Amino acid sequence: MSCLLYTNDNADLSAACNATYCWVTGDGAPGFVGGGDYHLQPTSPCVDGGDPASTLDHDIDGESRPQGGGPDIGADEVQ
């Protein structure tokens, strides 16, 4: 599993993630599209950074994953 926890001001949940395949605020900006759109940009550092052992075959939009060399970190898979 991989997770993306960015600007979570209510609590530090980074300990709940496997640090190898997670992105947290301290890692820098994850490369969201912006303007309330939390899909990843193709240049996001989260692209292909997810757990290669993941068995999830679709992202939050129902699109197949992985699309590149590995699954992307977070709920969205960049097309």
Side-chain angles (χ1 to χ4, degrees), residues 1-5 13 16-23 49-56 65 71-74:
M1 181 176 97
S2 62
C3 59
L4 196 161
L5 301 171
L13 301 175
C17 288
N18 174 338
T20 304
Y21 302 114
C22 289
W23 195 266
D51 185 349
S54 174
T55 58
L56 298 174
R65 70 186 322 169
D72 299 342
I73 294 175

Side-chain angles (χ1 to χ4, degrees), residues 31-42 76:
F32 292 133
V33 170
D37 185 342
Y38 294 102
H39 289 87
L40 297 173
Q41 296 181 48
D76 180 47

Side-chain angles (χ1 to χ4, degrees), residues 50-61:
D51 185 349
S54 174
T55 58
L56 298 174
D57 60 357
H58 289 84
D59 71 0
I60 195 165
D61 298 317

